[in-house]
Amino acid sequence: MKLKYSFLFCLLFICTLYQAQNTFIDSLKNQLRGDDISIEQKFRAYNELTEYYRVSDQYSTAEKYIQLQLQLARRERNNAEEVKALTQQGIIKLNQSEYDKIPGIIDAANLVVQKSNDKTALLYASYLNIYYINALGETENTIRQVQKLLPLVERQPSEILLNAKLNYLLYAIYTEWNDAENATKYAKKAIELSEKSGNKNMLSSAYSALAVCYSFLHEKTGNLKDLEPVIQTCIKAVSLYYKFPGRVSSHVHAMALLNLINYYLNYPVMTPAIREDIQNNANEILTLTRHTTLNQGIQAGALGVLSNLASRDQNDALSEHYLLKAEQILLTQQPVYYHVMINVVKNLAKLYAKQKNYQKAFEYESKVAEYSNLLFDEGQAETAKRLEAQYQSRKKESELQILTEKTDRLKREKLLYIILGIIGLAGAFFMFRSYHFKLKYSIERENKLDTEKHEAEMQIKLQEEEQARLKAEQELLTLQQQKLQSEVLASHLHLLHKNKVLQRLQTQLSDADINIHQVVKGENRVDNDFEKIRFTIQELHPDFFKNIDDKAKLKLTALDLKYCAYIYLGMDTKQIANLLNVEPKSVRMTKYRLKKKFGLDETTALDTFFRGIFSE
């Protein structure tokens, strides 16, 4: 009864905070409706509303305010605010993987910068370009561009929030590289700047980022004392929602709660207090996400946690109820969030296998394979879109560089002609009487020869540039063909593995004595079928494993070689984790061990290292 009243009190408190959040948002909207506020206040309200709805994934509402901000900025000829609105628009399009719409937005922002020479507009146009190249996977170029932009941003005290976002971007890149030291440095910098900016959504995200950095040490040692800083940092992110009512969006808060819950589940022993916190936080997530959009993944995550608690209590019926509800919620979003859906149907398959309901277990194990294939296809489609965007971006850069060089050359020629003309006129003036006819003939002849020579040189130069452009395009096409070959190989391996599992499962279902739980568990042991994978890879790359073994300083296991093959094929951490049915953190640790076995430092990417082996 005490727990029931506690939950009801928490629910009432959450509703009060949600009402406070609505009050804050409504106050911003009311400011825009009023006639007694300044233009600067209107722009501030537009920026806060756009940022709030964007981080809440309510993109349609955010774009509505972006259009209103663009109209006001163009009417008032405020170039900085126009570029800010275009930057938000571009980020939303990138979050929705609409890469083809980004170049036009970037060009519009750059055109405003060129016309106005506004420093703030330049900063935001540069930030949008950085966000774009990072979305295309050009992480090293992203770091160079951020480091170039940061000194300019730091000289603009009014752009603290932009400074925080750039540091957060660096944190994200170094986290992906498992560089805990640099990731922690930039996460702390993002927290410091977010506190100064007053943006509580950004501050909550920065605290969650620091928690991820601290979790690297816990994953490495497994010590409980290393888990405590992670939990405390997550609690700081969560507490902002209660400390500053209305300033943290429900979506951001729900994400912070889900992070905290996941770290709580790492405790080796779950005390009643921890369990109560987990259950209350999961219920709070479900309450918060009723009022937001694009939240199916978060809701399913919370239901998965509640299912985990029910399973610990041996309450299979309740656990099944939560998982089925999570499946239904995920199906309401298009496209389906396959990462979470795969975990949900996988847990349902294990639950039905435990209950000896083999028909249901087979049905959901088939769904695991189906959603895994759909996730793989979605990833390949996303990769293809990124490659096309990269190609178009590089092609545009090449054309722009050629045009710039041509313009500079014409300017130099024009200047040269002016100088020569002045010299010729001066010479003709002083020598006109005595050398009139002779000088005129000599100058005309010389100019004609120079012009013909220059035209010939220009023709040769243009031919060389055209050949270089054609060569660059051919190299890009070759790169795309190599990428597609790797993707076909990866798809073949993935489908071969899944079809084999399904055939084995279907065959063994006819055996009344088979333990389907053991079959499902055995599916996760990847070493048994690696010899077939080795044969398939060596058909296309005969010297792959020999060259890999020769470069290793320590002996490589069969599983190490399989990881090397997937990394060489260009698969990222999440794709490898899904394919091998392991956690992403396990993949990251394996990558770390592989670097040690090859004697690589932390800054060297494994895929770059492998490609370097075969380009020698």
Side-chain angles (χ1 to χ4, degrees):
M1 183 64 70
K2 180 179 179 182
L3 180 59
K4 178 180 178 182
Y5 285 131
S6 175
F7 174 70
L8 290 175
F9 175 77
C10 289
L11 182 61
L12 179 62
F13 183 56
I14 293 167
C15 292
T16 302
L17 289 172
Y18 182 75
Q19 185 177 4
Q21 178 176 290
N22 285 339
T23 302
F24 174 70
I25 298 300
D26 288 341
S27 68
L28 292 174
K29 294 178 180 178
N30 289 333
Q31 285 183 26
L32 295 174
R33 295 190 192 102
D35 297 328
D36 57 341
I37 66 170
S38 65
I39 297 298
E40 289 72 18
Q41 289 174 315
K42 283 188 177 182
F43 280 129
R44 190 179 303 115
Y46 277 131
N47 284 318
E48 290 193 21
L49 285 168
T50 302
E51 181 79 7
Y52 174 85
Y53 285 115
R54 182 184 63 78
V55 299
S56 300
D57 289 349
Q58 299 183 50
Y59 296 138
S60 59
T61 305
E63 287 191 339
K64 181 184 75 173
Y65 286 106
I66 286 172
Q67 293 303 320
L68 292 173
Q69 184 177 354
L70 281 172
Q71 292 174 12
L72 180 61
R74 287 165 181 166
R75 187 168 65 248
E76 297 294 327
R77 301 183 183 277
N78 191 318
N79 300 296
E81 293 298 332
E82 183 177 355
V83 176
K84 284 182 183 180
L86 289 170
T87 299
Q88 290 282 23
Q89 186 180 50
I91 291 173
I92 289 174
K93 297 300 181 187
L94 284 171
N95 291 346
Q96 296 174 314
S97 300
E98 298 181 11
Y99 299 104
D100 57 320
K101 296 182 180 178
I102 303 304
I105 298 175
I106 291 177
D107 289 343
N110 289 335
L111 184 60
V112 174
V113 172
Q114 291 172 6
K115 288 181 177 179
S116 65
N117 200 25
D118 186 285
K119 292 183 179 179
T120 302
L122 173 63
L123 296 181
Y124 279 89
S126 300
Y127 175 64
L128 176 57
N129 187 62
I130 288 171
Y131 205 95
Y132 178 49
I133 62 177
N134 183 62
L136 296 181
E138 300 178 15
T139 51
E140 293 180 358
N141 190 19
T142 300
I143 291 177
R144 287 195 297 270
Q145 296 299 325
V146 170
Q147 297 292 5
K148 188 186 299 183
L149 184 61
L150 273 175
L152 301 178
V153 177
E154 289 168 356
R155 289 199 288 268
Q156 294 286 338
S158 61
E159 300 305 329
I160 299 176
L161 180 58
L162 180 59
N163 197 346
K165 290 179 179 180
L166 289 169
N167 280 275
Y168 188 87
L169 189 58
L170 289 174
Y171 142 78
I173 293 174
Y174 283 112
T175 299
E176 187 67 26
W177 290 352
N178 293 322
D179 187 341
E181 181 180 354
N182 278 316
T184 303
K185 178 178 75 172
Y186 289 112
K188 288 181 176 179
K189 187 67 175 178
I191 290 174
E192 176 189 343
L193 293 166
S194 298
E195 288 177 337
K196 291 180 180 179
S197 73
N199 190 299
K200 306 308 176 186
N201 280 315
M202 186 66 206
L203 182 58
S204 178
S205 299
Y207 274 127
S208 296
L210 186 59
V212 173
C213 297
Y214 288 154
S215 69
F216 284 132
L217 182 59
H218 174 253
E219 291 175 3
K220 185 177 180 180
T221 65
N223 294 334
L224 185 60
K225 67 176 184 178
D226 295 325
L227 182 60
E228 289 302 324
V230 181
I231 298 296
Q232 294 304 317
T233 308
C234 280
I235 290 174
K236 288 181 179 180
V238 169
S239 65
L240 293 173
Y241 184 76
Y242 313 111
K243 190 175 180 181
F244 302 98
R247 303 302 300 276
V248 179
S249 76
S250 299
H251 185 89
V252 171
H253 181 53
M255 289 293 296
L257 285 171
L258 192 58
N259 289 336
L260 177 59
I261 290 173
N262 287 327
Y263 288 123
Y264 269 143
L265 293 174
N266 287 328
Y267 276 110
V269 177
M270 186 178 295
T271 65
I274 292 176
R275 180 194 171 90
E276 182 178 358
D277 272 351
I278 292 175
Q279 188 159 354
N280 288 341
N281 289 341
N283 286 321
E284 184 177 351
I285 290 172
L286 295 175
T287 301
L288 288 168
T289 51
R290 291 173 190 165
H291 309 289
T292 59
T293 59
L294 299 177
N295 54 52
Q296 286 86 340
I298 300 176
Q299 285 183 310
L303 289 168
V305 170
L306 293 175
S307 172
N308 182 288
L309 295 179
S311 179
R312 289 171 184 256
D313 296 337
Q314 303 299 318
N315 190 340
D316 291 345
L318 184 58
S319 177
E320 178 188 7
H321 167 74
Y322 285 131
L323 290 174
L324 290 174
K325 187 174 181 181
E327 181 186 18
Q328 292 173 356
I329 288 174
L330 287 170
L331 289 173
T332 63
Q333 181 175 337
Q334 292 299 328
V336 175
Y337 196 59
Y338 294 118
H339 294 281
V340 178
M341 179 64 87
I342 290 171
N343 288 330
V344 170
V345 295
K346 188 182 296 181
N347 288 331
L348 280 167
K350 290 180 180 179
L351 180 62
Y352 288 128
K354 177 183 175 183
Q355 296 174 350
K356 300 188 183 302
N357 188 344
Y358 299 136
Q359 185 62 35
K360 282 282 188 182
F362 174 74
E363 175 186 342
Y364 276 95
E365 193 61 37
S366 298
K367 287 185 178 182
V368 172
E370 177 187 352
Y371 287 125
S372 295
N373 289 335
L374 290 172
L375 176 62
F376 181 80
D377 292 342
E378 184 181 71
Q380 298 313 301
E382 179 73 11
T383 300
K385 288 169 68 176
R386 267 202 311 267
L387 284 173
E388 178 62 23
Q390 284 179 346
Y391 171 74
Q392 294 298 336
S393 177
R394 289 173 181 171
K395 181 180 178 182
K396 184 177 180 181
E397 288 176 0
S398 177
E399 291 174 349
L400 182 62
Q401 183 178 0
I402 292 172
L403 184 60
T404 302
E405 291 175 355
K406 185 176 180 180
T407 303
D408 291 341
R409 186 168 58 252
L410 290 173
K411 287 181 179 179
R412 289 195 298 270
E413 291 172 1
K414 185 177 180 180
L415 180 61
L416 179 61
Y417 288 148
I418 292 173
I419 294 173
L420 289 175
I422 293 172
I423 293 173
L425 289 173
F429 176 77
F430 287 109
M431 302 178 66
F432 178 74
R433 291 183 178 180
S434 57
Y435 302 102
H436 173 70
F437 294 106
K438 183 178 178 180
L439 182 60
K440 180 179 179 181
Y441 174 76
S442 177
I443 291 175
E444 288 178 353
R445 188 168 180 271
E446 183 180 357
N447 287 341
K448 183 177 179 181
L449 290 173
D450 288 343
T451 301
E452 290 175 352
K453 179 181 178 182
H454 184 68
E455 288 177 353
E457 290 176 349
M458 284 186 61
Q459 187 65 29
I460 293 171
K461 184 69 174 179
L462 288 173
Q463 289 176 354
E464 291 176 351
E465 290 173 350
E466 180 65 17
Q467 290 175 356
R469 184 183 68 81
L470 292 174
K471 183 179 178 182
E473 289 183 355
Q474 184 62 37
E475 290 176 351
L476 284 174
L477 289 173
T478 302
L479 178 64
Q480 285 184 317
Q481 290 173 353
Q482 292 174 349
K483 186 67 177 181
L484 288 173
Q485 182 184 22
S486 297
E487 290 171 357
V488 170
L489 176 59
S491 177
H492 173 72
L493 295 177
H494 178 73
L495 291 174
L496 179 65
H497 172 70
K498 288 301 177 182
N499 288 337
K500 181 180 176 183
V501 172
L502 288 175
Q503 291 171 2
R504 179 160 58 88
L505 184 60
Q506 187 174 10
T507 302
Q508 293 179 341
L509 276 174
S510 61
D511 188 352
D513 296 331
I514 193 64
N515 187 330
I516 192 143
H517 179 69
Q518 293 298 323
V519 174
V520 173
K521 182 177 179 182
E523 195 272 341
N524 292 322
R525 293 193 290 269
V526 298
D527 291 335
N528 294 336
D529 60 343
F530 183 63
E531 289 302 318
K532 292 184 178 181
I533 296 173
R534 180 196 296 269
F535 176 77
T536 305
I537 290 177
Q538 290 198 199
E539 283 185 332
L540 294 176
H541 305 276
D543 299 327
F544 180 84
F545 295 101
K546 179 179 180 301
N547 291 341
I548 290 296
D549 277 327
D550 290 344
K551 292 291 183 179
K553 300 185 182 299
L554 298 175
K555 181 173 178 60
L556 299 175
T557 66
L559 185 56
D560 288 338
L561 292 173
K562 187 167 187 179
Y563 270 94
C564 292
Y566 286 138
I567 293 169
Y568 175 69
L569 292 175
M571 296 185 182
D572 59 23
T573 299
K574 290 182 180 178
Q575 289 176 322
I576 296 174
N578 288 330
L579 189 59
L580 299 181
N581 291 328
V582 298
E583 293 293 331
K585 64 181 181 181
S586 176
V587 177
R588 287 195 293 268
M589 291 304 296
T590 303
K591 287 182 176 181
Y592 176 80
R593 289 193 296 271
L594 284 173
K595 285 187 177 183
K596 295 298 183 183
K597 288 188 177 184
F598 286 107
L600 303 177
D601 57 31
E602 293 183 351
T603 60
T604 302
L606 285 170
D607 57 349
T608 303
F609 172 70
F610 292 152
R611 289 189 179 89
I613 293 176
F614 298 105
S615 65
E616 292 177 354

